[in-house]
Amino acid sequence: MIKYKSLTTLLAATLLFIVYRSILPVKIIGVHRPGETLAVVIVKNFPLTRHGKISWWKDHQQQLQEMNGFINSPENHIILFLQTEYKKDSGTDHDSDLLCFKDMSDAANCVSKDNRPLLIWHYPDGRTEYITENIFQRFLRHL
């Protein structure tokens, strides 16, 4: 009986979390161009599923293009989405995996490269590839 209640509670909590996350709007924190062929979009509350991530991109790519003309330019081949907050690089080995942006004057101009929910590759022949990461892949990578 206790196992049944625990399982029911866990299932209900998981369902509530999924519903909660699905109603939160995606927030674009920043857009950067650290290289000629790369655009980095910093987001918060990105969709959890592969379908949700790709659908969000397809629905909002025109809006991002209007805000940042380089997003869909022919020279731009990679669009990297990172779900993170800006941090200050302390200059230690612990921060060696940070991606820092020179276009920001603030001291907190770096982000962690760990949480990459979506990577879009535009190939010169016109193909587009979507690479997604979910929470389980991120968890397994840190084991």
Side-chain angles (χ1 to χ4, degrees):
M1 187 69 164
I2 293 176
K3 287 183 181 181
Y4 176 73
K5 285 183 180 181
S6 298
L7 184 62
T8 304
T9 304
L10 180 63
L11 185 62
T14 303
L15 184 61
L16 282 173
F17 174 74
I18 291 170
V19 168
Y20 171 74
R21 280 297 311 258
S22 66
I23 63 173
L24 285 176
V26 174
K27 182 178 179 184
I28 300 170
I29 297 174
V31 179
H32 304 278
R33 187 173 190 179
E36 288 297 315
T37 62
L38 171 66
V40 177
V41 182
I42 313 299
V43 294
K44 192 173 188 175
N45 305 326
F46 213 59
L48 296 174
T49 65
R50 176 179 171 79
H51 174 75
K53 292 170 187 175
I54 295 171
S55 293
W56 184 90
W57 162 249
K58 289 180 177 180
D59 293 343
H60 293 88
Q61 66 179 332
Q62 186 62 37
Q63 174 189 2
L64 281 168
Q65 176 65 25
E66 290 169 4
M67 291 170 33
N68 306 283
F70 58 85
I71 289 286
N72 280 329
S73 68
E75 301 84 29
N76 191 31
H77 301 295
I78 304 167
I79 303 169
L80 173 62
F81 286 83
L82 295 172
Q83 187 165 306
T84 186
E85 298 285 334
Y86 289 106
K87 301 176 182 181
K88 183 179 178 183
D89 184 5
S90 64
T92 64
D93 286 344
H94 179 68
D95 290 342
S96 63
D97 65 334
L98 294 179
L99 175 61
C100 298
F101 303 106
K102 295 176 184 174
D103 61 348
M104 293 180 66
S105 59
D106 192 13
N109 65 342
C110 301
V111 293
S112 172
K113 298 181 278 186
D114 284 341
N115 193 350
R116 300 177 303 263
L118 179 62
L119 176 64
I120 303 169
W121 286 86
H122 293 293
Y123 292 98
D125 64 3
R127 288 181 301 124
T128 299
E129 181 179 0
Y130 300 99
I131 301 168
T132 60
E133 179 183 75
N134 63 38
I135 195 166
F136 300 113
Q137 290 170 322
R138 213 170 41 245
F139 174 73
L140 291 175
R141 190 173 59 232
H142 292 289
L143 288 179

